[in-house]
Amino acid sequence: MLAHGGPQPRVAPGGWRDAVLKRVVVAQVTKPYFQSQEIVWKDSVYPERIGIDVLDEELDVAGRDLGDAAAEALRLSANKQGSAVLLSGVAALAHFATELPVVADPAQFDLNAVTVISHGGAESAIAQILTRREQSKIRKAMLNGATEFSCALCGKILPARFIRAAHIKRRAHASRDERLHMANIMPACLLGCDELFEHGYVYVTSTGTVALGGNHSTTPDLVEAAKALDGLIVTIYGPQREPYFAWHRNNIA
């Protein structure tokens, strides 16, 4: 957990409980200490490194939302020129993930607009709560308060609870930016379209129509369900989504 823009750290223990930190970043170490000459920042090489993946990033975070232990650890770190203060377990991370509210984008959401959700995530057990918060933000931005929504594949208008904000390029294979890019999100219904697409029984062609995939390990009823989508026009298809649909065609379907 990294923090920036906190108050005066030379206060009594627990003094940061009601403090507000301008920026908090939660990251997971993905690679231990190593050296590299690859230039990342323009001012210097900085050869001594670790690999990290950003799980979450929030602005104007209260110390009480981090939990007393994490807030105190950050205060101690600030008194040691930013040196790490180790805490056992992941209690601070879980507390942080559950205490902070999920805020939907108030702007009108356009399925064909180039939009990126401001949040982070990773495919680790530690990040499960943070991932759910990310998904909640994406879903709220997609629905924008609508109680009914149209499935991108079958076109049926259904109650919002039957529509999933599905990643076109699988989340596990997407980069952090791709996971948050709304062009990689497709409204897919729970009546079957989401699973048919997820497992490659159908895909979206380069001309924006649904086609049958090459997955033949199935039953006659499932084939019939997939055939019902064959040839339908995908109204959200466009140049911003094509790279993601192409990945799905080439790697899943």
Side-chain angles (χ1 to χ4, degrees), residues 2 62 83 87 94 106 115 126-127 129 131 138 144 150 158 168 186 203 209 221 230 240 249:
L2 311 173
S83 297
L87 294 178
T115 309
I126 293 176
I129 298 175
T131 297
I138 290 172
N144 194 38
S150 175
L158 300 167
I168 300 170
M186 174 182 67
Y203 66 93
T209 60
D221 287 336
D230 191 23
Q240 294 297 328
R249 287 196 300 271

Side-chain angles (χ1 to χ4, degrees), residues 80-104:
K80 299 178 181 180
Q81 296 182 313
S83 297
V85 176
L86 301 181
L87 294 178
S88 61
V90 294
L93 177 61
H95 184 93
F96 177 67
T98 54
E99 287 299 313
L100 285 178
V102 173
V103 181

Side-chain angles (χ1 to χ4, degrees), residues 29-231:
V29 176
T30 58
K31 183 178 181 180
Y33 170 83
F34 68 99
Q35 291 191 343
S36 172
Q37 297 299 314
E38 179 186 358
I39 296 177
V40 178
W41 299 280
K42 294 180 180 180
D43 62 321
S44 185
V45 175
Y46 300 106
E48 297 181 317
R49 308 175 185 184
I50 59 171
I52 64 172
D53 183 26
V54 173
L55 304 179
D56 192 24
E57 182 173 349
E58 299 287 349
L59 302 178
D60 298 324
V61 177
R64 58 182 174 274
D65 290 334
L66 299 175
D68 292 345
E72 178 62 12
L74 288 174
R75 188 192 69 82
L76 292 173
S77 176
N79 280 304
K80 299 178 181 180
Q81 296 182 313
S83 297
V85 176
L86 301 181
L87 294 178
S88 61
V90 294
L93 177 61
H95 184 93
F96 177 67
T98 54
E99 287 299 313
L100 285 178
V102 173
V103 181
D105 186 351
Q108 178 70 30
F109 178 66
D110 181 356
L111 280 174
N112 294 310
V114 182
T115 309
V116 176
I117 292 299
S118 177
H119 198 71
E123 298 73 43
S124 66
I126 293 176
Q128 283 180 355
I129 298 175
L130 295 171
T131 297
R132 288 197 294 270
R133 291 185 63 239
E134 167 209 303
Q135 289 296 107
S136 180
K137 286 184 176 182
I138 290 172
R139 178 175 170 77
K140 285 188 176 183
M142 183 186 76
L143 294 175
N144 194 38
T147 57
E148 296 179 345
F149 217 75
S150 175
C151 174
L153 298 178
C154 69
K156 291 183 174 68
I157 298 175
L158 300 167
R161 65 180 179 275
F162 287 96
I163 299 293
R164 179 169 292 166
H167 281 89
I168 300 170
K169 179 177 181 179
R170 284 185 177 176
R171 191 182 183 283
H173 296 277
S175 68
R176 179 172 180 258
D177 288 343
E178 289 172 334
R179 297 196 299 263
L180 301 176
H181 193 193
M182 291 303 292
N184 190 26
I185 301 301
M186 174 182 67
C189 76
L190 300 181
L191 300 185
C193 291
D194 182 54
E195 291 298 315
L196 289 171
F197 184 85
E198 170 71 15
H199 298 289
Y201 293 104
V202 297
Y203 66 93
V204 175
T205 70
S206 59
T207 58
T209 60
V210 181
L212 298 178
N215 194 337
H216 301 295
S217 177
T218 184
T219 66
D221 287 336
L222 200 151
V223 171
E224 183 178 352
K227 284 184 176 180
L229 303 177
D230 191 23

